[in-house]
Amino acid sequence: MTFVATDFWDAVGKTPLIRLRRASEETGCEILGKAEFMNPGGSVKDRAAIGILGEAVKRGLLTPFQPGTVVEGTAGNTGIGLALAANARGWKSVIVVPRTQSQEKLDFLRMIGADLRLVDPKPLADPGHYVNFSRRLAEEMGAVWANQFGNSANALAHETTTGVEIWEQTGGKVDAFTCSCGTGGTLHGTARALKAKKPGVKVVLADPHGSGLYSWVKTGTVSAEGNSITEGIGQASKVPAVLEGAPIDDAVRISDAEALEQCFSLLKEEGLSVGGSAGLNVAAAIRVAKDLGPGHTVVTVLCDGGARYQSKLFNPPWLRERGLPVPSWLA
Ligand code: PMP
Protein backbone atom coordinates (compact mmCIF):
# COMPACT_ATOMS: atom_id res chain seq x y z
CA MET A 1 0.00 0.00 0.00
CA THR A 2 1.59 3.27 -1.07
CA PHE A 3 -1.01 5.97 -0.50
CA VAL A 4 -4.20 6.10 1.53
CA ALA A 5 -6.18 9.33 1.14
CA THR A 6 -7.54 10.52 4.46
CA ASP A 7 -10.76 11.94 2.99
CA PHE A 8 -12.37 13.62 -0.04
CA TRP A 9 -9.98 16.57 0.12
CA ASP A 10 -6.92 14.34 0.19
CA ALA A 11 -8.24 12.24 -2.71
CA VAL A 12 -8.35 15.22 -5.09
CA GLY A 13 -5.61 15.37 -7.71
CA LYS A 14 -2.77 12.95 -8.39
CA THR A 15 -4.69 11.95 -11.52
CA PRO A 16 -3.07 9.83 -14.26
CA LEU A 17 -1.69 11.35 -17.42
CA ILE A 18 -3.06 9.16 -20.22
CA ARG A 19 -1.45 8.79 -23.64
CA LEU A 20 -4.11 9.44 -26.27
CA ARG A 21 -3.33 6.86 -28.93
CA ARG A 22 -5.25 8.14 -31.94
CA ALA A 23 -4.27 11.78 -31.44
CA SER A 24 -0.64 10.74 -30.95
CA GLU A 25 -0.62 8.53 -34.06
CA GLU A 26 -2.32 11.20 -36.17
CA THR A 27 0.31 13.81 -35.28
CA GLY A 28 3.52 11.84 -34.63
CA CYS A 29 3.60 13.55 -31.25
CA GLU A 30 2.90 12.29 -27.76
CA ILE A 31 -0.49 13.72 -26.83
CA LEU A 32 -1.23 13.25 -23.15
CA GLY A 33 -4.50 13.92 -21.33
CA LYS A 34 -4.64 14.70 -17.61
CA ALA A 35 -7.49 12.49 -16.40
CA GLU A 36 -9.35 15.03 -14.28
CA PHE A 37 -12.60 13.10 -14.63
CA MET A 38 -11.01 10.72 -12.08
CA ASN A 39 -11.19 13.28 -9.28
CA PRO A 40 -13.63 12.25 -6.51
CA GLY A 41 -16.17 14.91 -7.58
CA GLY A 42 -15.67 13.95 -11.21
CA SER A 43 -13.99 17.06 -12.58
CA VAL A 44 -10.95 19.33 -12.70
CA LYS A 45 -12.89 21.78 -10.53
CA ASP A 46 -12.39 19.67 -7.39
CA ARG A 47 -8.89 21.16 -7.29
CA ALA A 48 -10.16 24.74 -7.34
CA ALA A 49 -12.87 23.86 -4.79
CA ILE A 50 -10.47 22.58 -2.15
CA GLY A 51 -7.97 25.35 -2.99
CA ILE A 52 -10.62 28.02 -2.40
CA LEU A 53 -12.10 26.39 0.72
CA GLY A 54 -8.62 25.71 2.12
CA GLU A 55 -7.82 29.40 1.74
CA ALA A 56 -11.08 30.33 3.50
CA VAL A 57 -10.05 28.08 6.40
CA LYS A 58 -6.62 29.72 6.54
CA ARG A 59 -8.28 33.12 6.71
CA GLY A 60 -10.56 31.98 9.54
CA LEU A 61 -13.73 32.34 7.42
CA LEU A 62 -14.58 28.64 7.82
CA THR A 63 -13.64 26.13 10.51
CA PRO A 64 -13.79 22.37 9.95
CA PHE A 65 -16.82 20.79 11.66
CA GLN A 66 -18.13 24.17 12.86
CA PRO A 67 -21.24 25.64 11.20
CA GLY A 68 -20.43 27.37 7.94
CA THR A 69 -21.84 27.92 4.46
CA VAL A 70 -20.20 28.40 1.08
CA VAL A 71 -22.08 30.06 -1.79
CA GLU A 72 -21.03 29.95 -5.43
CA GLY A 73 -22.24 30.65 -8.95
CA THR A 74 -21.12 27.92 -11.32
CA ALA A 75 -21.76 26.01 -14.53
CA GLY A 76 -22.02 23.03 -12.19
CA ASN A 77 -18.66 21.36 -11.72
CA THR A 78 -17.27 23.89 -9.24
CA GLY A 79 -20.53 23.58 -7.33
CA ILE A 80 -20.19 19.80 -7.24
CA GLY A 81 -16.60 20.04 -5.95
CA LEU A 82 -17.53 22.68 -3.37
CA ALA A 83 -20.62 20.80 -2.15
CA LEU A 84 -18.75 17.51 -1.69
CA ALA A 85 -15.73 19.18 -0.06
CA ALA A 86 -18.14 21.10 2.21
CA ASN A 87 -19.97 17.88 3.15
CA ALA A 88 -16.64 16.39 4.17
CA ARG A 89 -16.05 19.31 6.58
CA GLY A 90 -19.59 19.68 7.94
CA TRP A 91 -20.48 22.86 6.01
CA LYS A 92 -23.52 23.75 3.89
CA SER A 93 -23.35 24.74 0.24
CA VAL A 94 -25.64 27.01 -1.76
CA ILE A 95 -25.02 26.59 -5.48
CA VAL A 96 -26.36 28.97 -8.15
CA VAL A 97 -26.46 27.49 -11.67
CA PRO A 98 -27.97 28.68 -14.98
CA ARG A 99 -30.89 26.37 -15.83
CA THR A 100 -29.36 25.75 -19.28
CA GLN A 101 -26.69 23.46 -17.83
CA SER A 102 -27.03 19.71 -18.27
CA GLN A 103 -29.78 17.97 -16.31
CA GLU A 104 -27.21 15.45 -15.07
CA LYS A 105 -25.18 18.13 -13.29
CA LEU A 106 -28.31 19.72 -11.76
CA ASP A 107 -29.65 16.35 -10.58
CA PHE A 108 -26.27 15.45 -9.13
CA LEU A 109 -26.03 18.74 -7.21
CA ARG A 110 -29.44 18.02 -5.63
CA MET A 111 -28.44 14.43 -4.94
CA ILE A 112 -25.35 15.44 -2.98
CA GLY A 113 -27.30 17.84 -0.79
CA ALA A 114 -26.39 21.23 -2.27
CA ASP A 115 -29.02 23.95 -1.85
CA LEU A 116 -29.48 24.42 -5.61
CA ARG A 117 -30.74 27.76 -6.96
CA LEU A 118 -31.49 27.82 -10.69
CA VAL A 119 -31.34 31.14 -12.54
CA ASP A 120 -32.08 32.17 -16.12
CA PRO A 121 -29.03 32.73 -18.31
CA LYS A 122 -28.18 36.46 -18.40
CA PRO A 123 -25.29 38.58 -19.68
CA LEU A 124 -22.46 39.15 -17.21
CA ALA A 125 -23.44 42.83 -16.78
CA ASP A 126 -26.95 41.85 -15.62
CA PRO A 127 -27.50 41.66 -11.82
CA GLY A 128 -29.30 38.35 -12.44
CA HIS A 129 -26.23 36.70 -13.98
CA TYR A 130 -25.39 33.64 -11.89
CA VAL A 131 -22.10 35.09 -10.65
CA ASN A 132 -23.69 38.40 -9.53
CA PHE A 133 -26.65 36.53 -8.05
CA SER A 134 -24.34 34.30 -6.00
CA ARG A 135 -22.28 37.24 -4.72
CA ARG A 136 -25.42 39.01 -3.46
CA LEU A 137 -26.77 35.83 -1.92
CA ALA A 138 -23.51 35.24 -0.02
CA GLU A 139 -23.62 38.80 1.31
CA GLU A 140 -27.24 38.48 2.41
CA MET A 141 -26.55 35.16 4.13
CA GLY A 142 -23.27 36.26 5.71
CA ALA A 143 -21.74 33.20 4.02
CA VAL A 144 -18.41 32.65 2.30
CA TRP A 145 -18.53 33.49 -1.42
CA ALA A 146 -16.12 31.19 -3.28
CA ASN A 147 -15.70 33.67 -6.17
CA GLN A 148 -13.91 31.26 -8.49
CA PHE A 149 -13.60 33.91 -11.25
CA GLY A 150 -11.80 36.37 -8.98
CA ASN A 151 -10.18 34.23 -6.29
CA SER A 152 -6.44 33.75 -6.74
CA ALA A 153 -6.65 30.51 -4.73
CA ASN A 154 -8.23 28.99 -7.87
CA ALA A 155 -5.21 29.38 -10.16
CA LEU A 156 -2.87 28.73 -7.24
CA ALA A 157 -4.44 25.28 -6.75
CA HIS A 158 -3.43 24.39 -10.31
CA GLU A 159 0.02 25.95 -9.98
CA THR A 160 0.78 23.85 -6.91
CA THR A 161 -0.90 20.62 -8.06
CA THR A 162 -1.91 20.22 -11.74
CA GLY A 163 1.21 21.90 -13.14
CA VAL A 164 3.58 20.20 -10.71
CA GLU A 165 2.03 16.79 -11.43
CA ILE A 166 2.33 17.26 -15.21
CA TRP A 167 5.97 18.26 -14.85
CA GLU A 168 6.73 15.21 -12.71
CA GLN A 169 4.66 12.76 -14.78
CA THR A 170 6.38 13.77 -18.02
CA GLY A 171 9.79 13.93 -16.39
CA GLY A 172 9.97 17.49 -17.73
CA LYS A 173 9.44 16.29 -21.30
CA VAL A 174 6.64 18.66 -22.22
CA ASP A 175 6.73 21.03 -25.18
CA ALA A 176 3.24 22.51 -25.08
CA PHE A 177 0.18 22.76 -22.86
CA THR A 178 -3.27 23.64 -24.11
CA CYS A 179 -6.71 23.86 -22.52
CA SER A 180 -9.92 25.84 -22.63
CA CYS A 181 -10.90 28.38 -19.98
CA GLY A 182 -13.96 28.92 -17.84
CA THR A 183 -12.38 30.89 -15.03
CA GLY A 184 -8.94 30.32 -16.53
CA GLY A 185 -7.69 28.84 -13.27
CA THR A 186 -6.54 25.60 -14.91
CA LEU A 187 -4.72 27.33 -17.78
CA HIS A 188 -3.17 30.11 -15.71
CA GLY A 189 -1.98 28.01 -12.78
CA THR A 190 -0.68 25.13 -14.88
CA ALA A 191 1.03 27.48 -17.32
CA ARG A 192 2.76 29.31 -14.48
CA ALA A 193 4.06 26.07 -12.98
CA LEU A 194 5.33 24.70 -16.30
CA LYS A 195 6.91 27.98 -17.46
CA ALA A 196 8.71 28.32 -14.11
CA LYS A 197 10.42 24.99 -14.89
CA LYS A 198 10.84 25.51 -18.62
CA PRO A 199 10.10 28.98 -20.04
CA GLY A 200 9.95 27.58 -23.58
CA VAL A 201 6.85 25.48 -22.92
CA LYS A 202 4.24 26.75 -25.39
CA VAL A 203 0.92 27.65 -23.76
CA VAL A 204 -2.11 27.73 -26.04
CA LEU A 205 -5.62 28.81 -25.01
CA ALA A 206 -8.35 26.66 -26.58
CA ASP A 207 -11.67 28.40 -27.11
CA PRO A 208 -15.16 27.41 -28.31
CA HIS A 209 -17.23 29.54 -30.67
CA GLY A 210 -19.30 32.12 -28.78
CA SER A 211 -16.34 33.02 -26.58
CA GLY A 212 -14.22 36.15 -26.89
CA LEU A 213 -11.03 34.77 -25.35
CA TYR A 214 -9.56 33.60 -28.69
CA SER A 215 -9.72 37.14 -30.07
CA TRP A 216 -8.40 38.49 -26.74
CA VAL A 217 -5.23 36.41 -27.14
CA LYS A 218 -4.94 37.10 -30.89
CA THR A 219 -5.78 40.82 -30.94
CA GLY A 220 -6.04 42.09 -27.36
CA THR A 221 -9.78 42.69 -27.70
CA VAL A 222 -12.52 40.41 -26.35
CA SER A 223 -14.91 39.75 -29.21
CA ALA A 224 -17.26 36.78 -29.55
CA GLU A 225 -19.18 35.30 -32.45
CA GLY A 226 -21.32 32.20 -32.84
CA ASN A 227 -22.19 29.83 -30.02
CA SER A 228 -21.32 26.44 -28.55
CA ILE A 229 -22.95 23.49 -26.83
CA THR A 230 -19.92 23.06 -24.55
CA GLU A 231 -20.49 23.83 -20.87
CA GLY A 232 -18.17 25.46 -18.35
CA ILE A 233 -15.83 27.07 -20.87
CA GLY A 234 -15.57 30.28 -22.85
CA GLN A 235 -16.32 33.88 -21.84
CA ALA A 236 -18.34 36.08 -24.18
CA SER A 237 -17.58 39.55 -22.88
CA LYS A 238 -14.90 39.72 -20.20
CA VAL A 239 -11.57 38.17 -19.26
CA PRO A 240 -11.95 36.69 -15.75
CA ALA A 241 -9.60 38.23 -13.17
CA VAL A 242 -8.17 34.76 -12.53
CA LEU A 243 -7.04 34.51 -16.18
CA GLU A 244 -5.51 38.01 -16.37
CA GLY A 245 -1.72 37.93 -16.59
CA ALA A 246 -1.52 34.26 -17.62
CA PRO A 247 1.55 33.55 -19.78
CA ILE A 248 -0.27 32.60 -23.00
CA ASP A 249 1.59 32.24 -26.31
CA ASP A 250 -1.24 31.53 -28.72
CA ALA A 251 -4.90 30.54 -29.08
CA VAL A 252 -6.94 28.14 -31.21
CA ARG A 253 -10.70 28.10 -31.85
CA ILE A 254 -12.44 24.74 -32.04
CA SER A 255 -15.93 23.99 -33.36
CA ASP A 256 -18.48 21.85 -31.53
CA ALA A 257 -18.33 19.27 -34.33
CA GLU A 258 -14.55 18.91 -33.91
CA ALA A 259 -14.90 18.63 -30.13
CA LEU A 260 -17.64 16.00 -30.43
CA GLU A 261 -15.63 13.93 -32.91
CA GLN A 262 -12.92 13.69 -30.24
CA CYS A 263 -15.43 12.81 -27.49
CA PHE A 264 -16.85 10.00 -29.63
CA SER A 265 -13.47 8.68 -30.79
CA LEU A 266 -11.95 8.78 -27.28
CA LEU A 267 -14.90 6.80 -25.98
CA LYS A 268 -15.26 4.19 -28.72
CA GLU A 269 -11.61 3.70 -29.65
CA GLU A 270 -9.81 4.35 -26.35
CA GLY A 271 -12.40 3.67 -23.65
CA LEU A 272 -12.27 7.22 -22.31
CA SER A 273 -15.63 8.82 -21.54
CA VAL A 274 -15.19 12.60 -21.47
CA GLY A 275 -17.32 15.74 -21.71
CA GLY A 276 -17.38 18.43 -24.39
CA SER A 277 -14.63 20.65 -22.99
CA ALA A 278 -12.27 17.66 -22.84
CA GLY A 279 -13.09 16.81 -26.47
CA LEU A 280 -12.41 20.41 -27.40
CA ASN A 281 -9.11 20.32 -25.51
CA VAL A 282 -7.99 17.19 -27.35
CA ALA A 283 -8.91 18.75 -30.71
CA ALA A 284 -6.81 21.76 -29.68
CA ALA A 285 -3.89 19.53 -28.66
CA ILE A 286 -3.97 17.93 -32.13
CA ARG A 287 -3.93 21.39 -33.74
CA VAL A 288 -0.98 22.46 -31.56
CA ALA A 289 0.90 19.20 -32.25
CA LYS A 290 0.46 19.56 -36.03
CA ASP A 291 1.78 23.09 -35.74
CA LEU A 292 4.86 21.97 -33.76
CA GLY A 293 5.55 18.94 -35.97
CA PRO A 294 6.33 15.32 -35.07
CA GLY A 295 8.38 14.36 -32.02
CA HIS A 296 6.88 16.80 -29.52
CA THR A 297 4.88 16.21 -26.35
CA VAL A 298 1.62 18.11 -25.94
CA VAL A 299 -0.36 17.93 -22.71
CA THR A 300 -4.03 18.79 -22.26
CA VAL A 301 -6.82 18.31 -19.73
CA LEU A 302 -9.70 15.79 -19.73
CA CYS A 303 -11.86 18.07 -17.57
CA ASP A 304 -14.80 15.83 -16.76
CA GLY A 305 -16.66 12.68 -17.78
CA GLY A 306 -19.16 12.07 -20.57
CA ALA A 307 -21.92 10.74 -18.29
CA ARG A 308 -22.39 14.31 -17.05
CA TYR A 309 -23.77 15.16 -20.53
CA GLN A 310 -25.45 11.92 -21.55
CA SER A 311 -28.77 13.65 -22.34
CA LYS A 312 -27.08 16.06 -24.73
CA LEU A 313 -23.77 14.90 -26.23
CA PHE A 314 -24.79 11.23 -26.44
CA ASN A 315 -28.41 11.84 -27.43
CA PRO A 316 -28.84 11.43 -31.23
CA PRO A 317 -32.13 13.41 -31.57
CA TRP A 318 -30.67 16.29 -29.55
CA LEU A 319 -27.52 16.28 -31.70
CA ARG A 320 -29.41 15.94 -35.01
CA GLU A 321 -31.63 18.92 -34.13
CA ARG A 322 -28.47 20.99 -33.95
CA GLY A 323 -26.86 19.59 -37.09
CA LEU A 324 -24.09 17.96 -35.06
CA PRO A 325 -22.38 14.59 -35.55
CA VAL A 326 -23.92 11.56 -33.85
CA PRO A 327 -21.99 8.66 -32.27
CA SER A 328 -22.06 5.90 -34.91
CA TRP A 329 -22.95 3.18 -32.40
CA LEU A 330 -26.00 5.11 -31.16
CA ALA A 331 -27.28 6.28 -34.56
N1 PMP B 1 -14.39 22.11 -18.41
C1 PMP B 1 -15.47 21.99 -17.64
C2 PMP B 1 -16.42 20.87 -17.91
C3 PMP B 1 -15.69 22.90 -16.59
O1 PMP B 1 -16.79 22.78 -15.82
C4 PMP B 1 -14.77 23.94 -16.38
C5 PMP B 1 -14.99 24.93 -15.29
N2 PMP B 1 -16.14 25.71 -15.41
C6 PMP B 1 -13.66 24.03 -17.24
C7 PMP B 1 -13.50 23.08 -18.23
C8 PMP B 1 -12.69 25.17 -17.15
O2 PMP B 1 -11.90 25.21 -16.00
P1 PMP B 1 -11.34 26.57 -15.44
O3 PMP B 1 -12.44 27.24 -14.67
O4 PMP B 1 -10.21 26.17 -14.57
O5 PMP B 1 -10.92 27.43 -16.58
Side-chain angles (χ1 to χ4, degrees), residues 44-45 77 158 180-186 231-233 277 303-304 309:
V44 67
K45 300 301 300 199
N77 279 332
H158 292 284
S180 47
C181 293
T183 64
T186 309
E231 297 184 21
I233 57 171
S277 67
C303 317
D304 66 0
Y309 310 93

Side-chain angles (χ1 to χ4, degrees), residues 37 42 77 80 102-108 231 263 267 272-276 303-315:
F37 58 84
N77 279 332
I80 291 168
S102 78
Q103 195 60 43
E104 289 85 343
K105 284 191 291 191
L106 304 181
D107 290 344
F108 192 59
E231 297 184 21
C263 290
L267 182 52
L272 299 171
S273 168
V274 301
C303 317
D304 66 0
R308 217 149 258 195
Y309 310 93
Q310 198 171 341
S311 63
K312 290 181 168 180
L313 308 188
F314 299 92
N315 176 356

Side-chain angles (χ1 to χ4, degrees), residues 105-275:
K105 284 191 291 191
L106 304 181
D107 290 344
F108 192 59
L109 277 160
R110 282 197 196 92
M111 184 193 105
I112 62 181
D115 178 351
L116 181 64
R117 312 286 177 96
L118 293 180
V119 294
D120 290 326
K122 294 268 164 64
L124 185 56
D126 190 299
H129 183 274
Y130 67 99
V131 172
N132 305 328
F133 188 98
S134 72
R135 186 202 314 112
R136 256 195 338 271
L137 195 58
E139 280 164 15
E140 284 164 18
M141 297 176 70
V144 172
W145 183 44
N147 185 20
Q148 59 172 331
F149 291 92
N151 191 332
S152 58
N154 173 358
L156 187 63
H158 292 284
E159 184 173 4
T160 55
T161 71
T162 322
V164 171
E165 290 170 28
I166 290 170
W167 182 259
E168 286 171 358
Q169 287 169 312
T170 57
K173 201 184 164 325
V174 48
D175 299 299
F177 175 74
T178 183
C179 76
S180 47
C181 293
T183 64
T186 309
L187 184 74
H188 192 167
T190 306
R192 224 157 45 195
L194 293 176
K195 292 235 186 208
K197 291 285 189 188
K198 185 173 165 184
V201 172
K202 188 169 181 185
V203 172
V204 181
L205 185 152
D207 216 24
H209 290 273
S211 171
L213 298 176
Y214 170 84
S215 84
W216 170 64
V217 172
K218 289 291 199 184
T219 69
T221 308
V222 180
S223 162
E225 55 187 70
N227 52 50
S228 172
I229 58 159
T230 56
E231 297 184 21
I233 57 171
Q235 291 299 333
S237 57
K238 192 169 176 284
V239 178
V242 161
L243 181 58
E244 290 278 4
I248 301 169
D249 298 299
D250 202 358
V252 292
R253 185 148 54 193
I254 304 290
S255 70
D256 286 342
E258 287 173 278
L260 284 171
E261 295 288 3
Q262 294 306 323
C263 290
F264 302 158
S265 151
L266 285 168
L267 182 52
K268 198 66 171 61
E269 295 170 53
E270 306 192 43
L272 299 171
S273 168
V274 301

Side-chain angles (χ1 to χ4, degrees), residues 4-29:
V4 178
T6 51
D7 63 0
F8 176 95
W9 287 48
D10 201 28
V12 172
K14 303 168 279 278
T15 54
L17 200 52
I18 304 179
R19 179 176 189 268
L20 306 181
R21 177 174 42 81
R22 213 190 71 156
S24 298
E25 283 170 2
E26 185 183 331
T27 56
C29 287

